[in-house]
Structure formats: structure tokens, C-alpha cells
Amino acid sequence: MSRVFARLAPPVLAPVLVLMLVAAALVGMDPTEAAATQGARRPSAAPPGSLDPPDPYFPGLGNRGYDVEHYDIGITYDPRSASPAGSPPGNAADHKAGELRGDTRIRATATERLARFNLDLVGFDVASVRVDGRTATFDRTEHDLRIRPQAPIAKGEPFTVRVRYSGVPLPDQIPGLGLQNGWLLDSDGAATLNEPDGARYWFPGNDHPSDKATFCFRIDVPTPLVAVANGMLESKVASGARTIWSWNETAPMATYLSQIAIGNLDLRDEAPVDGVAIRNAFAPGSAPKAAAAAKDTPEMLRFLSGWFGKYPFSTYGIMVPDGRPRGLAFEAQTFSIISKDLFEKPDFASAILAHELSHQWFGDSVSPKTWDETWLNEGFATYGEWLWADHALDDPLQDEVDRAIRAVHRSPDVATDDPGIDQMFGPVPYERGGLTLHALRLTVGDETFAAILRTYLARFGGKSATTEDFIGVANEVSGQDLTSFFRSWLGPGPLPQFPKTAAPLGSDPPAALTIAVATR
Ligand code: TRP
Ligand code: ZN
């Protein structure tokens, strides 16, 4: 949410940070990995603990050689059960997470012959790893769990992995923002924040948005704490002093969009909206303000569906955890997480909710294939936010456009689709991304603009996409070659002039789509 981040201190020492990451990437590629890769049947530059090619901003995220279909994540958590001595170094004073016991089962398919493979995981003691039910050997690097099954897995074979681990989760930092993510504490429990690389701080997986999978969560907490996660609540089973909360997300999801919150949450089922089940979870004291803001969800869903097409998931709601983090909003799939301080000003909260709801189409249903292209999330969610602000908040679209022009004025050298790791959540992917979409709308007209968005969503929903994919759809649906239009709008370079229109554009969705949405 752009305005939230505008209130944060701008990142300092950005070039130093980038250098540190490059150094870390080099360290990650140890000589044994390189040697092992050379001997592989399909020679590749990338070690198993890295994608091929590696993510341009996070060379250590994601792994080669398999495709995850499903995660079954078991978490047993006891808030603050750890002794202070058990707190991680570096952040001991403000990070006193409790003990977490994890049991993750993964169903995957080998995309090459696997004598060994990696999962992303940071911290914890790993007790055991099983591949297809048989004990596997493993060791650790700083960010990976390296696994060697008893026998190699053939290319194309499905396989299962089960990892049992425990410990106090380590804190992570969001690149360029200096904010904590990963497993965060709450006054009475915990909440996670995983974009872009926090998921590996609490479960082992292929922590990269190019590999989406379905998820279920079994969260075992002391009664009467409530545990929420993405998707639908399957069951809640109390036994003795503990309750196991099972949640199920049946649509493919990127690991960074997974989300847990544990606390004294008030979990409320609301009336469904056009077949979409609605539930919200409020920390003590966050309702009635948060609940009042969430009352707009039905109208927001219907309004945004008018532009983007059918809502892509079976359920939606917001979770408002207690305590930290402050000033943050995040588009966890089906269950956006919003910190409770953001509900103080109703219009501000409403714009944030529209931004996060827009992300359910852009970011969640269609995820970015690589982390240099956050504008595919943020530019589109920003545009959804502008449309809602015009429609419902007395904030004309043209005013939002003018504000965005001022916001990116000083960054002509930043490319929207490659802003650099320190600006991946900076103003350019949000504001210039939104301006690019506005310019596209002015160029092709409302019907074609909506048809482009819907075709992109239909074609890449449940998967990940690139800027090239979006431009390809725009060209195809509009029947024009918009490639150089996108190059000049996305930058780098000064902002182009908007095409002249007779009247300023509003936010009403087009009444009829003149161009059919093609799914190919
Ligand atoms: N995607 C978030 C938004 O714009 C911004 C964000 C990036 C974020 N990383 C985060 C928010 C980590 C919370 C935590 O809505
Ligand atoms: Zn966003």
C-alpha cells in the first residue's frame, strides 16, 4: 500500500545493501554445489538451491528440479514459551517468539532426475526428513535444507517430502524497507508476513512465486487462542488444553501469500457475496473500527469485479492481528492482513482495503514470475485503489493521477519493471505502474482496457506471469502493437504525455465488453 510506505523512512545505504546481497549470493554457491552440478546429466549454471535461471533479485530463493503441487503445513505453537536465552541473537530484546514445532508434508513432481534437491528453510533444528516415506539424509546451509533421498527420483516422477523441525523462529527483514517479516510476534500470539522471502522462516518449501501450490494448514495452539490461515476453515478440534485449527486453500498460491495469525482473534462469518464466503478476524479492540471498514467488502467486491471480472477465489476477508506490525497491509491470499492502527481514518482504511482486495486478482491469482516485476502486483492494485477512491471516497481519479505524477517525478531513472531491490516496494512500481495502466486505458478505451485485464487474468490465473506476458495480451486484445508504448511508460526515462481525451475518465466499469475474453 503506497501511502503506508510513504510514511516510512526512505531506505538508506541502498547500494551497500545490493552489494551485500551479491556477496551473499556468491557465498551461497559453494564449490561442492558447483561441482555437483557439473556432474549432472543436464548441465546447468544453477545449483539445486537456486532456480535456473536464478531470481534476478533473490538468487538464493527457490530451488531447481521440482514443482510443488501441495503443502500440508503442521504447526504447533506456544506463545512465549521459550526462555529469553532461547531468543535469537541480534534481535533478542524485541523478538521473543515462542517455540514452534513444524511438520511439513510436500507433494511435488521432479522436473529433472534428482539425486539431491533443496528446500528453502532458515533456522530451526531439523529432526527428520523423509522422501516417499523413507529416511533421507540432509544438511543445512544458511538458507537451505539440502536433501539426498536414498535413491534418485526419476524425471517426471511424483514424490513426497516430510520435514519435522522445531525451534524459535528467527526474524527476517524486508529488503530495502528495513522492516521485519517472517514469523512476527503479537501481544498474545503471532502473525506471519512473507513477502518476498519470509515464508522460509517458518516452513520448508520452494519459496518463490514461480512455483505455486495448494495449501492446507493444521495449527495446534493452546485453547482458547484462535488460529487463522488462508482459505476455508475445515475444522476446529479441541482436545485437552489445545485446539487444532485446519484451514484449506484449494487455489494455487505462492508461498509469499501464505498467512497465519494466532491470537485472541474474533473470527466472524459474514453473509456471502455472490457465492464468495466472507469471514474476518479481529484482534481485541480492533473492532468496531475494523469491522465498520470491512462492511464495505460486498460493495468493493462487486465494484472491482465490474472491472476485473469474477473474484478468483472461494472466500475473502481481512485479518487484523494485535500489536505489531504497525502501519502494514498485505494481500495474503483470501485473507488480507491489516494492522489495526490503519483503521483510525475511515477513508484511508477504505483505500487500503481496496488496494489489498485488488491484489487478490493481481498478485494472488496472477503472481509475478520474478521479483523484479512487483509492478504487476503493485501498479494494478494501485489502479484498483484509485478506481475505488473515485467511486466511493470522493477522491477523483484525476487527482490520484496527478498525485502519482508528482510522486514519481524525482525517479525518472527507475524502471517500473526493474526498479532494483531497494525500490521493489518504492513509489515507482506502485505509482508509475498505476500511471502506465491509466495511459493504457486512455489509449485503448475502457472496453478494450477491461478486456485486456480480463484476458490476462483468465490466461494466467492460478499461475505466474511476466511483463512480456501482459504486453503480449495487450497487443493481442487491442490489435495494436503497444510494445513501445509500454517501454516508454514503464521507463526508465521521463513520463510520456497522456493521450488527450475529451473529458477526464471516471471509475464506472464499462457496461458491456465489446471484445470477448479469450483464454487460448
Ligand atoms: N504488497 C504489500 C502491499 O502493497 C506491500 C508489502 C511488501 C508488504 N512486503 C511486505 C506489506 C511485507 C507487509 C509486509 O500491499
Ligand atoms: Zn500492494
Side-chain angles (χ1 to χ4, degrees), residues 1 331 355-356 359 377-378 381 430:
M1 165 57 196
E331 67 267 25
H355 181 103
E356 307 312 334
H359 269 308
N377 296 4
E378 303 307 345
Y430 288 78

Side-chain angles (χ1 to χ4, degrees), residues 2 14 38 64 68 84 101 156 166 180 202 251 253 260 272 487 494:
S2 48
Q38 268 161 27
R64 211 186 79 215
V68 177
R101 270 178 295 134
S166 64
Q180 273 196 14
W202 58 280
M253 176 163 84
I260 284 183
R487 287 275 56 94

Side-chain angles (χ1 to χ4, degrees), residues 1-2 5 174 177 179-181 193-196 256 325 328-331 337 352 355-356 359 377-378 381 425 430:
M1 165 57 196
S2 48
F5 289 107
I174 307 170
L177 285 180
L179 294 171
Q180 273 196 14
N181 66 345
L193 277 178
N194 302 321
E195 186 180 26
Y256 83 91
L328 287 183
F330 177 68
E331 67 267 25
I337 177 168
I352 290 171
H355 181 103
E356 307 312 334
H359 269 308
N377 296 4
E378 303 307 345
F425 300 112
Y430 288 78

